[in-house]
Amino acid sequence: MGHGRRREYELLDRIRDGRPMSRRERLDLIVRLSIPSILAQLSVIVMLYIDASMVGSLGADASASIGLVSTTTWLFSGLCSAAAIGFSVQAAHRIGAGDNAGARAVLRQGLTATFAFGLLAAAVGCAISGPLPVWLGGNADIVGDATRYFRIYALSLPLLQLNYLSGGMLRCSGNMRLPSMLSLLMCVLDVMFNALLIFPSRTCFWGGVAFTLPGAGMGVVGAAVGTAAAEAVTALLMTAYLCRRSPELALKRERGSFRPTAQCLREALRTGLPMGGEHAVMCGAQILTTVIVAPLGTAAIAANAFAITAESLCYMPGYGIGDAATTLVGQCKGAERPDLMRRFARMTVWLGMGVMAFMGMVMYLGAPAMMGIMTPDAEIRMFGTSVLRIAAFAEPMFAASIVAYGAFVGTGDTIVPSGMNFFSIWAVRLPLAALLVPHYGLQGVWIAMSIELCFRGTIFLVRLLRGRWLKVR
């Protein structure tokens, strides 16, 4: 075990053993857990950039076919993530209480329950893949590719679900490094698979030497297959490490049942069901936004999808810090240390706001380059640049909502935060978008989103500082 990993275990042991932690030690532990998780989140965004740039080179129609169904893929991914969190939070509480055997029992039951959920999600996804692009307002030029892309994505959901559960379990045990390294591997594999599957065989030149690079010429379908293959390899490697080598969760330590118990399922549903419902509602709003944007034309659809991908470069560090907040608050709850829970929650939120304020500045200045990476189309770049610069000002308050939500999840408190997200997006963002789009087009959608993110961050900060979430059982 490396020195850095030993230091993390020492600091986590202070939580579990009830020993005091100085402000410097708390910050050290937050940073040590956040950096690998941030790198893992950023690697996912790099993969999205890679997909967008490769598909973008095929033309606006190919980009729009993926952009049209992107919000629906986030809906399914979010539901799978919520299912995994329902079990990983339970594991964090048991590890914090020193009950590693109980955490392993939760893992066994989680493997069965979430894989079954992944199969169900895949079946539903395949069933709606045909009519979905039509429901979303896609024109005839992009419907076929959009259907094929989403169907392949749906078929990969059981393995994506396994990836979410294994990564969540490792992070809640305090192991942020392995998920981060495997996410980087997933990016490398995605580049390789996409290069072979999207484009036809072609002659390339490197150092004055010509060589033939083989390719399947599958276009949009190749992007879906390449991404699914990269995710599958990562999921299998992560699960193998979790079940065989994790110090806290390796299943070879004792025999146990993989049949979910009623109590474990109830706890998972109590945490995961509000998150899944909230994510479904929020993605439903995103899908409605896609329907609003669709009449603006192919360029607007593609620009909106690319801008969302580009913006995620800014907010994914917030999700990385939010993962650390979930782990730390969850283990503090298991160890019955409410004062330490409060300190970790506040410190992670302030850190997240600072990081995302810096990233917002980077996005404002680098918006033209960010869009230029993903598409050669001048009209799409122009639209995308303008809306990214609108969103840059909302990033610090977006961070407040992301990281505070992660802290609340660590306690198992998901019902009220999910309701707050629901109210914010449906009572603020969508009505504003409906009012502004007729006058400002795509920019109106992003102005509405930015105002809503500032409102959402404010209400999450108020709840964090009041401290009622600390008393949730």
Side-chain angles (χ1 to χ4, degrees):
M1 187 184 298
H3 173 72
R5 186 72 181 120
R6 285 198 302 270
R7 179 59 175 164
E8 288 167 23
Y9 271 114
E10 291 172 3
L11 292 170
L12 287 168
D13 282 342
R14 286 183 173 272
I15 296 175
R16 300 162 189 166
D17 297 342
R19 286 178 284 169
M21 296 185 72
S22 67
R23 181 181 179 85
R24 181 174 181 178
E25 287 172 332
R26 295 196 304 273
L27 181 60
D28 185 18
L29 183 55
I30 290 171
V31 171
R32 285 177 180 276
L33 295 183
S34 295
I35 288 177
S37 190
I38 289 172
L39 292 176
Q41 297 286 351
L42 289 177
S43 68
V44 173
I45 299 312
V46 169
M47 188 171 71
L48 292 176
Y49 267 81
I50 292 165
D51 286 352
S53 63
M54 287 182 167
V55 174
S57 67
L58 301 177
D61 283 350
S63 300
S65 66
I66 295 178
L68 184 68
V69 297
S70 62
T71 47
T72 312
T73 63
W74 297 336
L75 168 60
F76 278 76
S77 297
L79 293 176
C80 290
S81 176
I85 288 173
F87 292 94
S88 58
V89 167
Q90 292 184 62
H93 293 170
R94 285 160 175 76
I95 291 170
D99 182 14
N100 288 351
R104 291 191 288 272
V106 170
L107 171 58
R108 290 189 190 90
Q109 297 170 66
L111 286 169
T112 302
T114 57
F115 190 70
F117 182 80
L119 290 174
L120 175 62
V124 173
C126 288
I128 68 170
S129 61
L132 177 65
V134 178
W135 295 342
L136 296 176
N139 60 48
D141 294 334
I142 64 176
V143 163
D145 275 343
T147 290
R148 287 185 285 272
Y149 182 89
F150 187 78
R151 184 176 294 133
I152 294 167
Y153 165 81
L155 290 170
S156 72
L157 283 173
L159 286 171
L160 182 64
Q161 177 70 83
L162 189 62
N163 195 357
Y164 282 145
L165 179 69
S166 298
M169 286 287 180
L170 287 171
R171 283 189 290 271
C172 281
S173 73
N175 184 349
M176 301 289 193
R177 294 173 184 251
L178 186 79
S180 175
M181 290 187 293
L182 288 178
S183 293
L184 293 173
L185 173 63
M186 184 166 65
C187 286
V188 174
L189 292 175
D190 190 47
V191 173
M192 294 171 56
F193 293 149
N194 280 356
L196 293 172
L197 296 172
I198 293 176
F199 306 105
S201 297
R202 57 216 181 270
T203 301
C204 301
F205 296 89
W206 188 62
V209 178
F211 61 95
T212 299
L213 187 65
M218 297 168 66
V220 170
V221 171
V225 174
T227 301
E231 289 175 344
V233 172
T234 304
L236 294 174
L237 290 174
M238 187 131 40
T239 304
Y241 179 91
L242 171 68
C243 295
R244 294 180 61 84
R245 299 188 59 187
S246 169
E248 298 86 4
L249 295 167
L251 298 183
K252 63 183 182 180
R253 296 180 181 275
E254 73 270 315
R255 293 182 180 274
S257 174
F258 284 81
R259 181 177 180 179
T261 64
Q263 180 182 355
C264 187
L265 287 176
R266 278 196 301 269
E267 289 189 39
L269 288 172
R270 186 172 62 84
T271 300
L273 192 59
M275 293 184 69
E278 170 251 345
H279 192 82
V281 168
M282 292 185 69
C283 282
Q286 291 284 7
I287 292 169
L288 182 57
T289 301
T290 301
V291 174
I292 293 172
V293 171
L296 300 177
T298 298
I301 295 172
N304 187 60
F306 284 151
I308 290 171
T309 300
E311 188 208 3
S312 59
L313 180 66
C314 286
Y315 64 67
M316 280 303 168
Y319 280 105
I321 297 171
D323 284 343
T326 299
T327 298
L328 293 168
V329 170
Q331 294 209 13
C332 287
K333 181 177 177 67
E336 298 182 351
R337 302 190 64 182
D339 289 342
L340 196 56
M341 287 166 59
R342 181 188 293 107
R343 294 190 186 103
F344 272 126
R346 293 185 178 185
M347 190 174 286
T348 51
V349 169
W350 304 140
L351 178 62
M353 292 180 70
V355 169
M356 281 179 57
F358 173 76
M359 294 302 295
M361 181 178 65
V362 170
M363 184 170 73
Y364 185 90
L365 297 174
M370 295 165 75
M371 291 301 301
I373 291 172
M374 291 186 287
T375 176
D377 189 291
E379 185 179 12
I380 295 174
R381 291 203 306 266
M382 179 190 69
F383 276 135
T385 298
S386 64
V387 298
L388 283 177
R389 285 179 165 167
I390 292 169
F393 294 96
E395 296 304 308
M397 296 306 289
F398 191 16
S401 66
I402 291 170
V403 184
Y405 188 89
F408 299 157
V409 168
T411 69
D413 173 25
T414 55
I415 295 176
V416 173
S418 295
M420 291 163 64
N421 279 328
F422 169 80
F423 176 82
S424 182
I425 199 165
W426 282 89
V428 179
R429 181 186 299 192
L430 290 177
L432 277 176
L435 288 172
L436 296 176
V437 166
H439 303 285
Y440 300 101
L442 184 61
Q443 290 183 338
V445 174
W446 285 69
I447 292 170
M449 181 190 75
S450 298
I451 293 172
E452 182 269 324
L453 290 177
C454 291
F455 172 79
R456 194 193 313 177
T458 300
I459 61 176
F460 269 86
L461 281 176
V462 169
R463 187 163 197 269
L464 175 79
L465 296 175
R466 284 183 174 176
R468 292 181 182 177
W469 57 277
L470 291 164
K471 301 175 183 178
V472 173
R473 300 302 298 174

